[in-house]
Amino acid sequence: MPLGLSIKDSVAIERAVYRKTDPLLQGKAVEGVPGLKDTVQLTEQPVALPALRATLEAQHGTSLWGNDVNTFRVPAVTLVNARVSYVINAGGTPVTLRAEVDNLTDRTSWGFLTSGYVFVQPPRTVLLNASVRI
């Protein structure tokens, strides 16, 4: 039986530095910018069952500065997410049912919102939803 397997990878490598700004910040790394951000997705959509789609995703970000004067770092993090969807026909209308699990391994990690403001990322989270195409 043929497989409907696909692999996607998105990589960003950045080095952001303050240049024309307050002399206190010149030459410092811009806060909230990881040196590397990588997202890999492995998706299976079986040829024999095209209504089904399952995705496993890993996201990795290197550590980053948590404020503009570079006095504290937000640690690197790798998170794993899983998604599955199935399309059914409800009275002639396609309905997509979805289940998602974010932070599958329930890893405790920090998130960055703005300079000096970090927060604890949500624990494992299960999301269920349905959408209707009209």
Side-chain angles (χ1 to χ4, degrees):
M1 173 187 318
L3 298 176
L5 191 62
S6 68
I7 298 173
K8 295 179 185 176
D9 189 13
S10 172
V11 178
I13 300 171
E14 298 182 82
R15 184 171 184 275
V17 177
Y18 283 108
R19 294 193 195 276
K20 296 180 180 178
T21 186
D22 182 332
L24 181 67
L25 299 179
Q26 287 181 10
K28 296 198 180 290
V30 175
E31 70 277 17
V33 180
L36 171 74
K37 179 80 173 171
D38 190 13
T39 301
V40 178
Q41 292 180 330
L42 178 63
T43 300
E44 171 65 21
Q45 188 167 10
V47 174
L49 193 57
L52 178 68
R53 181 183 198 118
T55 300
L56 187 62
E57 174 184 83
Q59 297 178 347
H60 175 74
T62 57
S63 66
L64 50 92
W65 288 107
N67 63 358
D68 57 356
V69 291
N70 297 171
T71 57
F72 75 92
R73 291 190 76 79
V74 177
V77 65
T78 300
L79 297 176
V80 178
N81 306 310
R83 293 185 284 283
V84 64
S85 65
Y86 190 78
V87 180
I88 62 171
N89 191 341
T93 303
V95 177
T96 303
L97 307 173
R98 288 185 198 84
E100 302 180 20
V101 181
D102 289 339
N103 194 3
L104 189 63
T105 59
D106 203 22
R107 172 135 189 225
T108 301
S109 63
W110 292 98
F112 174 88
L113 184 61
T114 188
S115 186
Y117 185 87
V118 295
F119 58 93
V120 177
Q121 292 274 27
R124 181 182 304 124
T125 305
V126 177
L127 306 162
L128 304 172
N129 69 63
S131 62
V132 179
R133 278 185 254 153
I134 51 174

